[in-house]
Amino acid sequence: MGRFGFSYIGLIWLLMLFVPNLLWARAKPQWYSPKGENRLLQVLERAGEAGVTCAALLFADFNLPLAPGALTPWSWWLAASFVLMLLYELWWLRYFTGPRTQRAFYSSLLGIPVAGATLPVLAFFLLGIYGRVIWMPLACVLLAIGHIGIHLGHRREL
């Protein structure tokens, strides 16, 4: 179920998620409009965002064990999650240094469709597996349906 307590790992993941989004939001492209997005997908996205944010910060199970030799094969889930977050940062770097078009915003990375939406959802899902906190993967399912669904809809419109 999870052990309540502050998660610095969750905070790091959230900063990796929010900082590029804040940069993007400060200078949204003229073409961007949430108009016409499916309301059900928006509700699922918001519920997933709230659940992921709360779970990431409120469960100490995501923190690295401090005892020497405490890393186990289970720690590979955390490593995989971190790699996905690094790929997400790489995707943003490519977007910010590129043409900043709709096509770029809804682009794939290494064969992962709509990578800007998919990579962080997968990363937080794996973080939930690593921490054995069921609330994180459940929130990620809601987030995936809403957020990835919205991005796929916008990409289809292109």
Side-chain angles (χ1 to χ4, degrees), residues 10-63:
L11 177 62
I12 292 167
W13 264 234
L14 288 172
L15 288 172
M16 292 175 77
L17 176 73
F18 291 142
V19 169
N21 277 281
L22 289 173
L23 294 173
W24 179 81
R26 285 186 50 161
K28 283 185 184 173
Q30 288 181 327
W31 52 260
Y32 179 76
S33 172
K35 188 177 178 182
E37 290 177 353
N38 181 301
R39 292 295 282 168
L40 176 60
L41 292 180
Q42 288 179 331
V43 168
L44 291 172
E45 178 185 43
R46 295 298 178 269
E49 288 171 343
V52 165
T53 301
C54 290
L57 293 174
L58 298 177
F59 290 101
D61 304 88
F62 302 128
N63 294 333

Side-chain angles (χ1 to χ4, degrees), residues 88-98:
Y88 177 68
E89 300 302 318
L90 179 65
W91 177 86
W92 272 113
L93 183 64
R94 185 180 73 178
Y95 173 78
F96 285 132
T97 60

Side-chain angles (χ1 to χ4, degrees), residues 66-80:
L66 298 177
L71 294 178
T72 68
W74 196 258
S75 302
W76 285 108
W77 291 109
L78 179 61

Side-chain angles (χ1 to χ4, degrees), residues 131-155:
R132 297 179 177 114
V133 176
I134 189 65
W135 307 114
M136 180 68 85
L138 290 176
C140 285
V141 168
L142 295 177
L143 182 58
I145 294 167
H147 192 55
I148 296 170
I150 288 169
H151 277 247
L152 286 172
H154 284 295
R155 191 178 78 177

Side-chain angles (χ1 to χ4, degrees), residues 118-141:
T118 306
L119 287 168
V121 171
L122 291 173
F124 279 94
F125 187 87
L126 294 183
L127 183 63
I129 291 172
Y130 163 74
R132 297 179 177 114
V133 176
I134 189 65
W135 307 114
M136 180 68 85
L138 290 176
C140 285
V141 168

